Amino acid sequence: MSARGTALVTGASSGIGAAVAAALVARGYKVYGTSRNPEKVNAPVRGVTYLALDLSDEASIEACAAAAGDVDVLINNAGESQSGPFEELPMDAVRRLFQLNVFGAVRLSQLLLPGMRERRRGRVVMVGSMLASFPLAYRSSYVASKAAIKGFALAARREYAPYGVGITTVEPGSIATGISERRTQYVADGSPFRAAYDTMLAALNRNEANGISAEKVAAKVVSAVEAGRPRPLYAVGSNAPVVFALRRVLSRGAAERMVARRHGLR
Ligand SMILES: NC(=O)c1ccc[n+]([C@@H]2O[C@H](COP(=O)([O-])OP(=O)(O)OC[C@H]3O[C@@H](n4cnc5c(N)ncnc54)[C@H](OP(=O)(O)O)[C@@H]3O)[C@@H](O)[C@H]2O)c1
């Protein structure tokens, strides 16, 4: 084990996960990163050992946890970005999203937390989304999945604090990772929501393209990992400090309108 300990970063084949894995290597951790196809990772991060993980497969989650062994830092980063009008989201797509963004991360955490508790040290970071704090129309399944994983973290952190294990959520805003190209979309033919959906999507893609770098998110994740006592919630990107401050003074309705307008919606 390296002096700093062992970290496992899910979804380390691209974007935020790759940047977090690189930042943890630079900080002296032994780092495992995951991909569904570890042998086909486009630009493997130097110093990272890749493990196979498909969060939609229970056996794969168990095999990954076993292969990683004692993990001190778990970064639940892998995720799917999904969008579509609420009534047009196929239930199998919603279930797949929750399996990946919520249940898979919960299960992996359940497998690794007992060791952290026994060793009396550890960190678990959920990579959420600012959209969970600032819900956006036509992103309901994604917003709900990120709110759900934050809920697990917020409640469970109280169970682990006495054991020196910190659980937290980092909510990124718009980050330029190319995730827009990988977003799954469900809009019915002839959808009455088409025009509003397209308006929202154009703004979303523009915001992502103009977003901050994955490296800035990684720096925030590392600061959460290395905090003596991680805060319940961190946010980075999309002017997070200003936007969260505004949210404290605005009514819920006004905050909702602010988010809608940023995406061209009424
Ligand atoms: N980019 C943004 O603007 C933004 C904003 C807020 C939150 N986030 C969140 O940040 C996280 C990373 O996003 P990103 O922008 O870096 O996206 P990304 O580049 O598309 O990375 C997603 C990662 O998830 C992995 N993955 C996908 N399906 C999987 C599955 N079934 N099992 C296991 N791993 C799977 C992918 O690995 P393989 O394909 O190699 O398996 C990939 O490494 C996500 O949770 C996302 O929701 C992103």
Side-chain angles (χ1 to χ4, degrees):
M1 190 182 87
S2 82
R4 287 210 179 254
T6 299
L8 175 63
V9 183
T10 68
S13 59
S14 59
I16 294 169
V20 170
L24 290 171
V25 169
R27 297 290 295 163
Y29 292 84
K30 172 174 173 49
V31 180
Y32 290 108
T34 80
S35 165
R36 281 166 295 180
N37 298 295
E39 65 292 340
K40 288 196 191 140
V41 173
N42 245 341
V45 177
R46 188 193 287 265
V48 172
T49 304
Y50 283 88
L51 299 175
L53 174 66
D54 184 344
L55 285 161
S56 62
D57 176 356
E58 285 287 322
S60 170
I61 297 171
E62 283 171 20
C64 178
D70 288 347
V71 167
D72 305 297
V73 175
L74 169 62
I75 313 293
N76 283 305
N77 162 78
E80 175 183 329
S81 180
Q82 186 176 93
S83 55
F86 175 77
E87 69 182 49
E88 297 170 14
L89 293 168
M91 279 313 295
D92 59 349
V94 175
R95 286 192 189 94
R96 185 192 64 233
L97 183 79
F98 270 69
Q99 176 59 40
L100 171 50
N101 289 9
V102 186
F103 305 136
V106 167
R107 184 66 194 128
L108 186 60
S109 306
Q110 284 181 333
L111 291 168
L112 296 175
L113 273 163
M116 295 186 199
R117 176 172 50 72
E118 281 157 20
R119 294 189 299 280
R120 293 187 148 304
R121 72 170 196 159
R123 295 284 184 266
V124 176
V125 176
M126 310 299 186
V127 177
S129 167
M130 263 174 75
L131 290 183
S133 293
F134 299 91
L136 172 63
Y138 309 112
R139 302 300 315 273
S140 60
S141 53
Y142 181 75
V143 166
S145 73
K146 293 299 189 181
I149 196 64
K150 177 167 64 173
F152 272 107
L154 284 172
R157 64 187 255 110
R158 307 294 300 181
E159 300 171 23
Y160 288 91
Y163 296 96
V165 176
I167 305 182
T168 187
T169 303
V170 174
E171 293 192 334
S174 297
I175 317 300
T177 64
I179 198 173
S180 297
E181 292 150 33
R182 295 181 284 281
R183 183 172 295 122
T184 47
Q185 301 185 51
Y186 299 93
V187 190
D189 288 344
S191 169
F193 302 102
R194 172 54 82 178
Y197 175 81
D198 285 348
T199 300
M200 182 284 302
L201 189 69
L204 195 66
N205 291 348
R206 203 166 46 239
N207 292 343
E208 195 242 289
N210 297 326
I212 63 164
S213 69
E215 286 68 28
K216 289 198 173 138
V217 182
K220 183 63 79 178
V221 170
V222 169
S223 74
V225 165
E226 295 189 344
R229 262 191 220 179
R231 300 199 305 255
L233 184 68
Y234 297 81
V236 57
S238 298
N239 253 330
V242 175
V243 180
F244 273 86
L246 270 176
R247 184 169 172 264
R248 281 192 283 278
V249 295
L250 293 176
S251 67
R252 268 184 187 272
E256 205 178 87
R257 284 192 292 280
M258 174 181 82
V259 177
R261 276 203 292 270
R262 181 166 190 257
H263 295 85
L265 302 172
R266 288 190 297 151

